[in-house]
Amino acid sequence: MSHPLETIRHSLSHVMAEAVCKLYPGTKVAIGPAIDDGFYYDFQLPVTVQPEDLPAIEKEMRRIIAANLKFERREISKAEAVALFAAQPFKLELIEGLEDGAITVYSQGEFTDLCRGPHVDTTRDLRPDCFKLRAIAGAYWRGDEKRPMLTRLYAYAFNSKDELNAHLKMLEEAEKRDNRRLGKELGLFSTHEEAGPGLIYWHPKGGRFRVELENWWRDEHYKNGYDLLFTPHIGKAWLWEKSGHLGFYKEGMYAPMEIDEEKYYVKPMNCPFHIMIYNNDGHSYRDLPLRWGELGTVYRYERAGALHGLMRVRGFTQDDAHIICTPEQIEDEIAEVLRFSLSMWKILGFKDIKAYLATRPAGDGAVGAPEMWATALESLRKAVDKEGLPYEMDEGGGAFYGPKIDLKVKDAIGREWQMTTIQFDFNEPERFDMTYVNSDGTKKRPYMVHRALLGSIERFFGVYIEHTAGAFPLWLAPEQVAVIPVGNDFADYAKTVGDQLRRAGLRVRMMLSDDRMNAKIRLAQAQKVPYMLVVGAKERDESTVSPRLRDGRQLESQAVETFIAHAKARVAEKSLEL
RNA sequence: GCCCUUGUAGCUCAGUCGGUAGAGCACAUCCAUGGUAAGGAUGAGGUCAACGGUUCGAUUCCGUUCGAGGGCUCCA
């Protein structure tokens, strides 16, 4: 009989626990749940297990599976449980938190575990070739830094060998696309631990991508009714006390610097600055909505162990904006932001997008009247419905200052990345006493919404590198065309062609070194240059070029002008195809 | 911060069971002038992460420090 994958994974974790206990007598077992791509089990081991030991554990697991053992469920009393797990301190702690009468244990072979279940019937339901031990990691007991560090063994597990292999292949592909690796290979960016980890250096090619992306971003924002701001990188302690950041976000901020005996903080967010601009003038309801965007560079403390290429950094540029509007406008504004965001993702080539609505957190830490939360959430939900976007609720997942929508986009190899975020803020308008004058002459509090569409430029770059494997669409490619003469005799003609392309506004790499043509093609391919134009005697005599595409396709020899028109059209329409 | 792994040329890595290191790519010079993924030769380049200890002698063994990679949420 077949069982849900989660059950199979969980049962496998018991098998692994049995194997580990057998191989390392004296092992204390903690917990072993199923996870997204397999399972893990946490142990306190009498010895240090090393990666070389994993095959032996796998082998023992297969032996257990082959023995065709039954998983037997028993209900026992709390007293029985305490006696049974007398030598297992972690289990005892878990038992303490359980109701008498609701305690179950599962046994297979020589191993009995405190477990709610369910499990497969016998180890025969587990396939010996559908799992693979993955890694050894440290994990705190119950995720608490103050509790003992346990050894966690991770494993992949799937329904079939094919699915396992497909997953392993995806991981292999992910490794090839790793933004740190491609960033180096394609000369896009670097980090320098000696100059400060988690800080990104954009090289000329990465810079070119960024400029093209940002230019487009600015154009789109102006077209969509935004104004753009530039604000300082530092602000006095007053600002951050007022905003509440020193109260709620201090651990994410860097230590202050002193200027004229005043403390200044580097900004972790742009919002207080935008509010300063808002509060610089009085506002009428007639002025609203205001949509103010900024590519604002912020610095946030991230723990050293959390830093990761472009994905997790300490300094980054948010594609931030704040929408300040009346309560009546909020629904349309939210719908509009969502539509705008989706239109951007479409152009960038992401089709699979899912929304996550986060509601008011439990407890009394949240600010803002419940009615405001309800209206806000309603406008978020309506917007998602209007776009026909699939969504999930994240109950209690909102920030203390307001509900939000996060969008997750799926990349070319099926991984989801959280990018766009649209968040209500009931906190700062209050703290900064933001107001506008309503039609009846009374002062009102506006709604404020923070939103970032790409998230941050750095992280987006990382995701996009991995999504495209570095083969950017023509309009974003740092180098769009490589001109490759067949031999040095044709260098002059190559230069003429290159100049012509440059004048037409294309980004050209002239490959005029002494290398052979084959080597140049190889290099241009490796650099993912979209078009390679090979020129020799024939092309020179006919004023043509012979285009090769980075996907290996070959176009007909054509007049230089024809090629320029072809490429320019694709740039103009931001085509994902060459 | 903590656990496991790890740190040798710009990059990717090999090696030394303790006698101060090697390959490929990249780079430089020279030869070769070429039709769609690497032409050839020569050369330059390293205080083997840093500091301490053991030793006649340490890049190699031991210790400490710093950095990097994976993990520390998914609740019997």
Side-chain angles (χ1 to χ4, degrees), chain A residues 339-354:
Chain A
R339 186 205 55 76
F340 184 22
S341 178
L342 293 173
S343 75
M344 303 261 285
W345 290 114
K346 190 174 170 196
I347 288 169
L348 291 165
F350 294 89
K351 285 171 230 104
D352 210 330
I353 297 173
K354 206 168 158 188

Side-chain angles (χ1 to χ4, degrees), chain A residues 345-380:
Chain A
W345 290 114
K346 190 174 170 196
I347 288 169
L348 291 165
F350 294 89
K351 285 171 230 104
D352 210 330
I353 297 173
K354 206 168 158 188
Y356 293 79
L357 299 200
T359 63
R360 187 182 175 107
D364 48 43
V367 300
E371 312 86 73
M372 287 177 84
W373 281 79
T375 334
L377 185 65
E378 197 46 31
S379 66
L380 293 175

